[in-house]
Amino acid sequence: MGQIKEIIEGWANVIKDNFGVIDPITKTISTKRLLKCNVCDIREGNICSPSKFGTNIITERRTNGCGCNIAAKTLSPSSQCPLGKW
């Protein structure tokens, strides 16, 4: 159920951002996260690619991308990077 909440939260915030009514704290969180996503090896377009993998910086485990839309995922404060970068 947690992932569904995160997906809904992220897409709701994408819509809010498109209308310029997003909470400034959420926007700041997203901006900081995007700086890390923009240079990530498992990013493919605007997707955290499930066909690519990297090493989680916390667990040191090989981890695949989650398949999420990066714009929406970074705008979901309760979401986490599969590689532990944020």
Side-chain angles (χ1 to χ4, degrees), residues 10-29:
W11 282 108
N13 284 333
V14 166
I15 293 167
K16 288 178 184 177
D17 191 29
N18 286 338
F19 284 99
V21 295
I22 187 123
D23 170 50
I25 293 170
T26 300
K27 184 66 176 179
T28 300
I29 290 168

Side-chain angles (χ1 to χ4, degrees), residues 50-61:
S51 64
K52 294 185 175 184
F53 67 90
T55 302
N56 183 296
I57 63 172
I58 298 166
T59 66
E60 297 182 354
R61 288 185 171 175

Side-chain angles (χ1 to χ4, degrees), residues 33-55:
R33 289 175 171 184
L34 282 170
L35 289 173
K36 294 178 182 180
C37 292
N38 287 342
V39 295
C40 184
D41 292 335
I42 65 172
R43 180 178 181 147
E44 191 169 287
N46 195 34
I47 303 295
C48 182
S49 179
S51 64
K52 294 185 175 184
F53 67 90
T55 302

Side-chain angles (χ1 to χ4, degrees), residues 48-82:
C48 182
S49 179
S51 64
K52 294 185 175 184
F53 67 90
T55 302
N56 183 296
I57 63 172
I58 298 166
T59 66
E60 297 182 354
R61 288 185 171 175
R62 178 180 161 151
T63 307
N64 286 64
C66 58
C68 290
N69 176 285
I70 292 172
K73 186 164 184 114
T74 61
L75 282 167
S76 170
S78 60
S79 292
Q80 296 180 354
C81 169

